[in-house]
Amino acid sequence: QTMFETHTFATFCLTTMGRSSVLALAWISVQVASLRPAHPGLALSTSRISSSSAASRRHTVSLAALNHDAVQDIAKSKAEPSDAEPSDASVFGAAALVAGNMVGGGILAIPTVLEPAGFAASMGLIGAMWAANVATGLLLGEVAAAAVRRGADDVSLRALSRDALGPLGARATSAVNVAANLLLMGAYVACGGDALGSAGGDYVLPRAAFALLVTALAGAPEEWAEKANAAFVAAMAASFCSLLVLAAPSMKVNVLMAPPAADVGEALGKAAPIVIGALVFQNVVPPIAKKFNGDGAKIREAVLLGTAAPALCYVALTASVLGREGPAAAPGELLDAARGLPEDIAAPAAAIVAVFSSAAVTTSFVGAAVSQLEELRGVAPSFGRADDGGEDFATLYALCFLPPFLLAVSGQNVFLPLMAATGSFANPFLFGVLPCLLAWRHRAAEAGEDDAAFLPGGLFSVSALGSGAATLVLAPVASDAAHFVASAGDVLQNVPVR
């Protein structure tokens, strides 16, 4: 049954790919805009985001031992209504949890990848990607809330995949998580080491020093790690606000709204994977659904409020950097966020940028490392186990931290390629295709009952989002395959015929 329904979903997406992939984001944007929170006056405070960030990144799913007998039919939820009491959890606190998880090292790449497309088109891309991420987050919340209402204790992404797609689906989900964490950790080490500076063009030593620092932080006792992480988030927020204030007088509207120097469509296509990765927050939606006992209204409010503030931060930083004259970034490098500032404030601004960059990638690395440790414990339980049955920390930590470091020192300009790889494959699958698969299975089992749907549109909205996410995953694969075939053809043509 699972294979049949998954095939039905895929067939529907493919048959609507041409039309829905073009209209999906615009249509979903309208649907998301219609979901007004009941408390529009609420605003996020930096202190709440700071205090919640460390906890938020520990909600990432992990793979435990899979039990085939635990696979359940989602249709049982209709026959077993929940008697859970309404939750008194704070929407404000949950929104801060979402915001703290969404802000991370990806923000550093946003101005660089958006500059070729120009500010106006870039804002359209950020808005569309924000709407798409919110929509898939709501779909994931809908599935998790249904699981909570039927009494499920584990509503992690891995558990939801197991229930809907079977043990193989759960293993695939966790494997993609491991790959995504590996790429992100490598990118963060490269960026953090570069923020520390380089000696005579040597990038390996600063990255090694940064890797040791963040590895020690990730492996510290939980109480120490949470306090340090909260301090880094506070430093990131303070440096971000300081940079915006310092740069505001130097911004020029004519520079900001200058026509793009490159083809807009091509530039937006290259920027989309990194923008998508920077806007990811969906991994904390299932825990929020559990906190609210499946209360759909509160889950929607937390998602909408919690994602709005980070999206505005991305817009503000992009406007601040692109609104100042200055040299373009060298290939593979990031734009100087302090470019175009007067000489008397250029040095303090550069120091602020260094603090902001280091703090942003440190908090992101710690969150990814905690997730990776949990995933490795589940994916390969035999690794990291001592002969006496205890945990072999040396092996486990080597598996977690050594591969990202090797990625980080594999080349000088690896930050943007690693971020793009994560946003091209892992994120569209985990937070695009997978939520749509889970929601399709759930809504099909509900037999047309749309009262509990978090996102309007029935199966059409699910298929439209699934088509867009599948396009993001398949387009790079098709492009690489076409390039390989063309290269192979050129090689064969040059082979002498005897």
Side-chain angles (χ1 to χ4, degrees):
Q1 182 181 0
T2 299
M3 293 181 64
F4 172 76
E5 290 178 351
T6 303
H7 172 72
T8 304
F9 170 82
T11 303
F12 192 88
C13 286
L14 290 174
T15 56
T16 60
M17 182 74 74
R19 181 176 302 173
S20 63
S21 61
V22 175
L23 301 177
L25 291 180
W27 185 85
I28 292 298
S29 299
V30 174
Q31 298 298 326
V32 170
S34 67
L35 300 172
R36 310 276 187 204
H39 305 288
L42 290 178
L44 296 177
S45 67
T46 301
S47 61
R48 292 298 298 273
I49 296 176
S50 302
S51 63
S52 300
S53 177
S56 71
R57 297 185 185 277
R58 282 164 173 76
H59 285 298
T60 312
V61 298
S62 62
L63 180 64
L66 293 173
N67 182 356
H68 180 71
D69 296 334
V71 179
Q72 301 175 357
D73 192 343
I74 291 180
K76 290 182 180 180
S77 62
K78 296 173 61 180
E80 299 178 4
S82 173
D83 56 355
E85 298 180 357
S87 172
D88 57 356
S90 167
V91 172
F92 184 90
L97 195 69
V98 171
N101 190 76
M102 189 171 171
V103 176
I107 191 175
L108 301 172
I110 295 296
T112 302
V113 299
L114 291 180
E115 184 184 35
F119 180 73
S122 298
M123 295 308 97
L125 179 64
I126 290 179
M129 294 298 100
W130 171 82
N133 272 1
V134 168
T136 57
L138 292 176
L139 290 179
L140 190 57
E142 178 183 325
V143 176
V148 171
R149 289 195 296 269
R150 68 174 181 265
D153 183 61
D154 185 1
V155 293
S156 65
L157 196 58
R158 184 265 312 161
L160 297 176
S161 300
R162 179 198 63 204
D163 291 342
L165 307 176
L168 183 60
R171 292 185 183 277
T173 298
S174 197
V176 176
N177 257 326
V178 168
N181 288 331
L182 170 61
L183 294 173
L184 289 175
M185 290 169 67
Y188 296 149
V189 168
C191 185
D194 294 345
L196 294 180
S198 60
D202 180 19
Y203 62 88
V204 175
L205 186 59
R207 293 179 185 181
F210 184 81
L212 290 175
L213 171 65
V214 291
T215 299
L217 181 59
E222 185 174 350
E223 183 178 359
W224 293 3
E226 288 186 356
K227 290 181 179 180
N229 198 50
F232 277 112
V233 175
M236 179 176 64
S239 57
F240 178 79
C241 295
S242 300
L243 179 62
L244 293 183
V245 171
L246 282 176
S250 300
M251 290 181 58
K252 299 178 181 179
V253 176
N254 63 321
V255 175
L256 181 64
M257 303 306 297
D263 179 78
V264 174
E266 182 181 357
L268 291 178
K270 292 181 179 179
I274 291 180
V275 174
I276 290 174
L279 294 172
V280 161
F281 67 92
Q282 293 92 322
N283 57 314
V284 298
V285 173
I288 288 175
K290 185 174 182 180
K291 177 187 292 189
F292 288 137
N293 292 332
D295 188 328
K298 290 185 176 181
I299 297 171
R300 284 193 293 267
E301 292 173 16
V303 168
L304 291 171
L305 290 173
T307 57
L312 292 176
C313 289
Y314 295 158
V315 171
L317 181 63
T318 302
S320 175
V321 177
L322 300 189
R324 289 178 269 127
E325 295 177 329
E333 296 183 1
L334 296 177
L335 278 175
D336 182 8
R339 71 174 188 175
L341 295 177
E343 294 183 1
D344 56 337
I345 63 173
I352 290 173
V353 171
V355 171
F356 174 67
S357 301
S358 300
V361 295
T362 297
T363 56
S364 297
F365 181 93
V366 171
V370 170
S371 169
Q372 189 77 326
L373 287 170
E374 293 301 318
E375 293 291 351
L376 290 174
R377 288 187 178 101
V379 172
S382 59
F383 294 116
R385 289 290 177 185
D387 295 337
D388 59 0
E391 195 163 56
D392 182 359
F393 288 100
T395 302
L396 185 64
Y397 275 56
L399 288 172
C400 180
F401 296 107
L402 185 57
F405 172 71
L406 296 178
L407 273 181
V409 299
S410 62
Q412 185 169 1
N413 299 319
V414 297
F415 175 68
L416 289 177
L418 290 176
M419 294 293 293
T422 308
S424 297
F425 302 103
N427 286 331
F429 172 77
L430 289 174
F431 307 118
V433 174
L434 184 58
C436 292
L437 281 172
L438 300 180
W440 177 278
R441 177 82 194 276
H442 167 69
R443 291 189 178 189
E446 291 294 329
E449 295 183 8
D450 199 40
D451 294 340
F454 285 18
L455 186 70
L459 293 179
F460 174 77
S461 62
V462 177
S463 63
L465 282 169
S467 297
T471 301
L472 289 173
V473 174
L474 295 176
V477 176
S479 177
D480 293 343
H483 178 71
F484 174 78
V485 171
S487 301
D490 293 340
V491 172
L492 291 177
Q493 288 180 353
N494 295 326
V495 174
V497 179
R498 297 182 179 180

